[in-house]
Amino acid sequence: MPFEASSWRRGSALRVVGPCLLLLLALLAFPRAARSDTSPGALVSAEAMPGGPEGAQAVRVIYWSTSLSGEPVKVSGVIISPAGEPPAGGRPVVAWAHPTTGVVSRCAPSLASGFFGSVQGLGEMLQKGFVVTATDYPGLGTPEVHPYLVGESEARAVIDTVRAARGLAGTHAGDRFVVWGHSQGGHAALFTGIIAARYAPELKLVGVAAAAPATDLATLMSDDMGTSGGNNVTAMTLWSWSRVYGAPLDAVVTAQAEPVVDHLAGLCLESLSDAFSRLGPTEGLKKGFLKVDNLADREPWRRLLAENSPGPLPAHIPVFLAQGASDPLVRPSITEAYRDRLCKAGNRVDFVLLAKVGHLFIARDTAADAVAWMAARFAGQPAPDNCGQR
């Protein structure tokens, strides 16, 4: 964090340089402290990020999480904290869970030039005094294979960013948090709600906010098969799960399509140019690249699809659920069916359906509502519930 102290009077310099020096000293200390601590959320490294929101502290971190096998695994992400005095008990935390960006290491959102613009509602959250964390998920930004749409893995990485924030000097992060995610991130948000009490009993999850979440994975992949978006999601899922779970790819993918699936797995999906770069390879899947009509008809894919489709959350957790009525990828009827499951389980659900909005912009277009909903949860207000409405 550069500064010119020589031209300032001593008093002014101390007010500005002091926090910078504290942050610098803290960042230098993390790599040494982390060598012997591999507990979930422990920091491995921390580096100040340029280009962040004005007045905020933005730090790219590597921290420890827990792999599917129960072993420590390094995960990268970003922690952003606002300026100003923290409240008693620490600042509330919003854990942002990002949508699909790819399945290989270089597709980590924290490595992208437009990272700060990709966190929906970031400015409003900082203005309200929230610390914002943003995991990359395992295997994005780190060498491991990314467990794409693997709920337990995503949720652990999300929760451990909150733990990491609590260990990062200058954030003053408290123990209360909300998770907010879009698409794959909505899937991660729902699984966070499912495992939070078991995985991190020292934290207090006060709400789950999800925009166009992936819920019923078997239906998602069967309904969208043949579309560009659906074929890409299925190809990335099969590629990842064949490596994460050892599920045989050649049992469900034709020999002609396997090289195309491998090629698509190496491409990111973070910008319009990325989307255009996938158009050519995706054409190679249009004539049908699966040996089965429905992945849910073949094991172990049937079991894996079921395991990674989120069930109901604990009834005490309120949910903000947003959906675009014109979404061709995550279809409104699927999200509405999941909403109904939550309602039957006793959750208070604030369901927002926006007309003429598709998959890409639903988180952006509902961010202001989501942030207001989060602020009310942190304030301890009764959660709104429109379960009885249609």
Side-chain angles (χ1 to χ4, degrees):
M1 302 180 75
F3 49 84
E4 295 291 339
S6 60
S7 62
W8 296 345
R9 291 191 308 204
R10 182 178 179 82
S12 297
L14 286 175
R15 283 194 296 272
V16 177
V17 176
C20 293
L21 288 176
L22 287 174
L23 174 60
L24 177 60
L25 291 172
L27 297 184
L28 289 173
F30 287 137
R32 292 194 295 273
R35 288 175 184 166
S36 60
D37 186 2
T38 60
S39 60
L43 286 156
V44 177
S45 65
E47 180 181 6
M49 284 182 70
E54 186 175 357
Q57 170 185 301
V59 181
R60 186 176 189 270
V61 297
I62 296 177
Y63 62 96
W64 289 103
S65 189
T66 309
S67 71
L68 288 174
S69 64
E71 298 298 318
V73 62
K74 291 178 183 178
V75 183
S76 59
V78 180
I79 298 170
I80 311 152
S81 54
E85 289 296 318
R91 293 188 175 106
V93 181
V94 176
W96 165 252
H98 68 79
T100 299
T101 59
V103 291
V104 293
S105 181
R106 67 185 183 86
C107 301
S110 69
L111 300 177
S113 59
F115 166 77
F116 294 104
S118 71
V119 181
Q120 300 303 323
L122 177 59
E124 296 93 328
M125 291 187 283
L126 293 173
Q127 288 173 8
K128 290 184 178 295
F130 305 160
V131 173
V132 180
T133 70
T135 183
D136 286 330
Y137 310 132
L140 300 179
T142 52
E144 298 79 17
V145 173
H146 171 46
Y148 180 60
L149 290 178
V150 175
E152 184 86 14
S153 171
E154 294 166 342
R156 291 173 181 175
V158 167
I159 293 167
D160 288 330
T161 58
V162 180
R163 286 169 160 160
R166 287 169 57 75
L168 181 64
T171 64
H172 303 286
D175 61 1
R176 296 180 305 147
F177 79 106
V178 167
V179 58
W180 161 227
H182 174 210
S183 192
Q184 180 190 5
H187 180 262
L190 296 173
F191 268 97
T192 297
I194 292 169
I195 77 164
R198 161 174 55 87
Y199 185 71
E202 80 280 11
L203 301 178
K204 299 175 184 176
L205 178 64
V206 300
V208 170
T215 52
D216 183 346
L217 296 191
T219 301
L220 170 70
M221 293 182 192
S222 63
D223 283 1
D224 293 342
M225 187 56 59
T227 68
S228 176
N231 285 353
N232 271 272
V233 167
T234 300
M236 288 187 290
T237 302
L238 294 176
W239 185 91
S240 173
W241 290 8
S242 69
R243 287 153 177 81
V244 171
Y245 294 115
L249 192 67
D250 58 3
V252 290
V253 175
T254 65
Q256 296 86 348
E258 282 194 50
V260 182
V261 170
D262 284 338
H263 183 57
L264 283 171
L267 302 177
C268 299
L269 189 56
E270 297 179 296
S271 65
L272 285 176
S273 62
D274 289 338
F276 281 118
S277 73
R278 301 180 76 95
L279 290 177
T282 303
E283 285 292 321
L285 302 180
K286 276 195 171 180
K287 293 181 180 179
F289 68 103
L290 296 182
K291 295 179 178 178
V292 294
D293 293 331
N294 190 332
L295 287 169
D297 292 338
R298 185 74 60 90
E299 291 290 4
W301 305 101
R302 176 191 300 154
R303 173 178 56 82
L304 296 175
L305 289 165
E307 287 179 0
N308 291 296
S309 294
L313 278 59
H316 70 276
I317 298 177
V319 180
F320 175 89
L321 194 58
Q323 175 66 43
S326 299
D327 190 335
L329 184 64
V330 174
R331 304 189 184 216
S333 60
I334 303 303
T335 303
E336 289 169 346
Y338 185 76
R339 181 270 314 271
D340 292 343
R341 292 185 68 189
L342 292 175
C343 291
K344 289 177 182 177
N347 298 91
R348 297 185 66 84
V349 182
D350 187 5
F351 180 68
V352 177
L353 181 67
L354 291 189
K356 299 181 181 179
V357 175
H359 191 72
L360 187 61
F361 296 120
I362 185 61
R364 182 200 68 180
D365 290 355
T366 57
D369 289 339
V371 173
W373 183 90
M374 296 175 211
R377 304 291 72 72
F378 289 130
Q381 298 175 13
D385 181 12
N386 56 19
C387 276
Q389 302 175 19
R390 288 291 183 271

